[in-house]
Amino acid sequence: MKSLGKDNIILGIESSCDDTSAAVLINGRIYSNVVANQEVHTAYGGVVPELASRAHQQNIVPVVDRALKLANISAENLSAIAFTKGPGLLGSLMVGTSFAKALGLGLNIPIIDVHHMKAHVQAHFIQQKDKDQPVPKFPFLCLTVSGGHTQLVLVEDYLNMHVIGETIDDAAGEAFDKAAKQLGIEYPGGPLIDKLAKDGNQNSYKFTYPKVDGLDYSFSGLKTQFLYFLQEKTKDDANFIQNNLSDICASYQHHIVSYLLMKLKKAIQKTGCKDIAIAGGVSANSKLRKELVQLGKDMGCEVFIPPFEFCTDNAAMIAMSGYFMYQQNLFAKQNVTPMARINLAKSS
Ligand code: KG4
Ligand code: ZN
């Protein structure tokens, strides 16, 4: 293939949890985004770290190969390789990191270590190949909700962002997945609760909110509250769950979404931001997307919601983050190591 001259071509690699993904971004536009989900965890009701890293090892070469082919790019055309450094499962991160280091060394091109949670926010700037998408204006607020995190992020610039509120225990995605497990729904439960809730009455059952100050969240009490609720209801009616599944899902989902948006509303009032956004796997939730649009109308804010494929874990967002870092020459050294925990800067 001929050289593409001054084009900026970033290969993104994501392997922080149970999705192996590779993407090609050319001059800030996405040309491919391949995601291999790992079915192996379904039987266990959650991600098994050892199985996840083994599956990443099997998937990484074919997934990268496919992403390059779909973008009609050969490895020699790449300008840089961006990979997830963390946070995430260490064994999983090691597969993507080692692959990026080896390929970068072989091609003699820079490697870029990306923060997974920043990348979820930066997904808002991904442009399609042939169509311009509107993007949020700085500063904006992003509610980042995933299986491992729940954060209110004040985004000052492409690379500069601070956490102004976050969960003090479980994440919102965990609250979905753990309730799903109690209901006998397969992992990951979030998407199925969302689907079942569509036929349910959200006012059927009520749950209470925890007392947490400021812009922080807590979800661990809800897990216990939900367990006691099911125990109480199934005491007299063994078929309670199967006869009321949609109503239970709708009420539980309504509770989580209202709680997430209650704090986001507070954050809007506190910061005066006019643009609001959501990111992370839970931002695929249809009720959250709908209610966010309503909140935007009520508060006079412009709302930004990424397409589904850029909400859950994907390498397009890693490549996007890499693109911004490439422009600032923020490259990693060959001795870079992945990190299971890396905090985003916190401010009050
Ligand atoms: O961002 P993500 O793909 O991976 C992490 O970085 O954690 O988020 C995964 C989480 C899981 O908890 C999953 O149940 C949740 O996102 N999720 C949803 C929906 N789709 C994915 N939760 C609620 N409704 C959905 N539609
Ligand atoms: Zn994620």
Side-chain angles (χ1 to χ4, degrees):
M1 174 170 292
K2 67 182 170 50
S3 158
L4 298 182
K6 285 197 183 340
D7 283 329
N8 178 312
I9 308 177
I10 309 279
L11 171 68
I13 293 173
E14 156 65 25
S15 72
S16 66
C17 190
D18 60 339
D19 294 312
T20 319
S21 181
V24 173
L25 192 82
I26 306 181
N27 301 327
R29 292 184 183 271
I30 193 70
Y31 277 66
S32 64
N33 182 38
V34 178
V35 184
N37 305 116
Q38 301 180 358
E39 302 296 330
V40 64
H41 308 288
T42 309
Y44 299 90
V47 178
V48 184
E50 174 63 25
L51 296 180
S53 34
R54 288 187 205 189
H56 282 304
Q57 277 196 309
Q58 284 175 342
N59 292 343
I60 191 104
V61 172
V63 164
V64 169
D65 200 42
R66 179 112 191 96
L68 292 172
K69 282 207 174 84
L70 283 175
N72 198 20
I73 287 292
S74 76
E76 289 70 33
N77 298 130
L78 294 172
S79 313
I81 303 163
F83 63 96
T84 308
K85 176 180 175 166
L89 301 171
L90 198 62
S92 292
L93 291 164
M94 268 162 78
V95 178
T97 305
S98 310
F99 184 90
K101 283 162 75 167
L103 190 58
L105 196 62
L107 295 170
N108 194 25
I109 55 173
I111 53 170
I112 303 168
D113 53 338
V114 169
H115 191 296
H116 181 85
M117 297 311 295
K118 267 192 174 179
H120 269 302
V121 177
Q122 290 156 333
H124 283 279
F125 298 102
I126 299 170
Q127 292 294 340
Q128 300 290 346
K129 205 163 38 173
D130 41 16
K131 179 167 114 215
D132 281 346
Q133 306 269 108
V135 297
K137 294 174 292 303
F138 301 116
F140 68 93
L141 274 174
C142 187
L143 170 65
T144 315
V145 266
S146 71
H149 294 83
T150 300
Q151 300 181 325
L152 278 164
V153 183
L154 179 62
V155 188
E156 313 257 20
D157 198 348
Y158 295 112
L159 292 169
N160 185 11
M161 48 188 89
H162 316 272
V163 175
I164 57 168
E166 66 185 331
T167 181
I168 56 169
D169 41 53
D170 291 351
E174 252 176 300
F176 272 106
D177 295 339
K178 286 183 176 162
K181 202 170 176 183
Q182 289 167 13
L183 292 169
I185 296 172
E186 274 185 354
Y187 176 85
L192 262 175
I193 290 188
D194 188 0
K195 202 167 154 205
L196 289 161
K198 289 198 165 67
D199 301 319
N201 177 357
Q202 66 179 27
N203 298 314
S204 302
Y205 309 105
K206 296 274 175 241
F207 302 97
T208 54
Y209 297 111
K211 288 193 174 49
V212 180
D213 289 343
L215 299 176
D216 285 339
Y217 294 96
S218 166
F219 285 97
S220 66
L222 180 61
K223 192 173 57 192
T224 324
Q225 203 185 138
F226 192 67
L227 178 70
Y228 289 159
F229 161 76
L230 290 182
Q231 280 174 351
E232 182 65 29
K233 295 285 186 186
T234 50
K235 220 166 40 189
D236 304 323
D237 175 6
N239 295 323
F240 172 75
I241 294 179
Q242 70 191 71
N243 290 341
N244 300 283
L245 192 54
S246 295
D247 287 346
I248 301 170
C249 289
S251 303
Y252 187 75
Q253 175 178 271
H254 172 62
H255 178 82
I256 293 181
V257 169
S258 308
Y259 183 43
L260 287 171
L261 296 185
M262 188 193 296
K263 297 275 178 158
L264 176 59
K265 186 175 171 182
K266 261 190 170 183
I268 297 168
Q269 286 162 339
K270 186 173 175 186
T271 60
C273 282
K274 283 286 164 210
D275 283 8
I276 53 174
I278 45 172
V282 181
S283 65
N285 183 269
S286 58
K287 172 86 179 160
L288 179 59
R289 295 165 89 94
K290 198 169 139 207
E291 294 293 320
L292 184 77
V293 171
Q294 189 54 49
L295 180 70
K297 281 188 189 142
D298 295 346
M299 305 287 292
C301 295
E302 201 167 339
V303 168
F304 295 85
I305 301 177
F308 280 109
E309 65 168 320
F310 304 141
C311 287
T312 45
D313 288 348
N314 67 88
M317 67 184 196
I318 305 301
M320 192 72 238
S321 190
Y323 177 75
F324 295 132
M325 291 173 77
Y326 186 89
Q327 284 163 344
Q328 306 287 324
N329 290 326
L330 294 173
F331 303 137
K333 296 206 173 94
Q334 265 294 327
N335 63 359
V336 62
T337 49
M339 288 171 75
R341 295 173 69 91
I342 327 172
N343 289 336
L344 268 182
K346 186 156 182 166
S347 66
S348 50

